[in-house]
Amino acid sequence: AARVVWGDIGREPRAAVLDPGDQTVPLNSCYSVACADRRDALAFSALLNGPVARAWLAAIAEPARGGYFRYLGWTMAQLPIPRDWKRARGILASLGERGRAGDSPSETDLFDATIEAFDVERDEAAALVAWAAG
């Protein structure tokens, strides 16, 4: 199965996709989640790497020294997923694919895709992002 991997300590979540059949074994201070297929993994990684998830997780993640957060399993399980995942996957997967190919999507691209995937108002999500930015 395709997997999404992220470090358990960081200033922000940073997710990567391991393709099906990839023999990489994530070790030491990281978590991974198996996804139903590669497009799910790409979409989930785009969601995790974006400013809205970063802001949400900053509100609930355990703080660590020096402005770092702990992105533990229980923390990540609290991250909302768009209700219509099939639609959201169609919106987010292409951004995950771009990132995987070395063309990192901009913060604006990730923000816009995330609010479209969640079908929320721009101002509501922007307020959360602004709050987390301090």
Side-chain angles (χ1 to χ4, degrees):
R3 296 170 288 163
V4 177
V5 180
W6 66 90
D8 76 339
I9 297 176
R11 292 188 187 271
E12 61 188 43
R14 295 183 59 183
V17 174
L18 299 176
D19 288 324
D22 187 324
Q23 297 298 311
T24 302
V25 178
L27 295 173
N28 301 332
S29 298
C30 66
Y31 287 86
S32 68
V33 62
C35 296
D37 64 36
R38 188 172 188 272
R39 285 180 40 87
D40 285 330
L42 292 167
F44 187 51
S45 70
L47 182 66
L48 288 180
N49 288 326
V52 176
R54 182 181 316 123
W56 177 273
L57 292 167
I60 64 170
E62 293 179 25
R65 272 191 160 155
Y68 287 79
F69 294 96
R70 301 286 316 258
Y71 299 111
L72 305 170
W74 75 264
T75 307
M76 302 304 272
Q78 300 304 311
L79 179 68
I81 300 297
R83 183 172 292 132
D84 185 349
W85 179 249
K86 184 177 180 181
R87 179 179 164 277
R89 184 177 68 175
I91 296 164
L92 295 165
S94 62
L95 294 177
E97 185 66 60
R98 275 181 50 195
R100 182 96 166 99
D103 177 24
S104 297
S106 70
E107 289 285 297
T108 300
D109 290 344
L110 290 166
F111 179 83
D112 290 345
T114 300
I115 63 170
E116 183 180 352
F118 276 104
D119 194 22
V120 297
E121 296 296 322
R122 173 176 292 282
D123 293 345
E124 293 171 352
L128 174 65
V129 171
W131 170 84

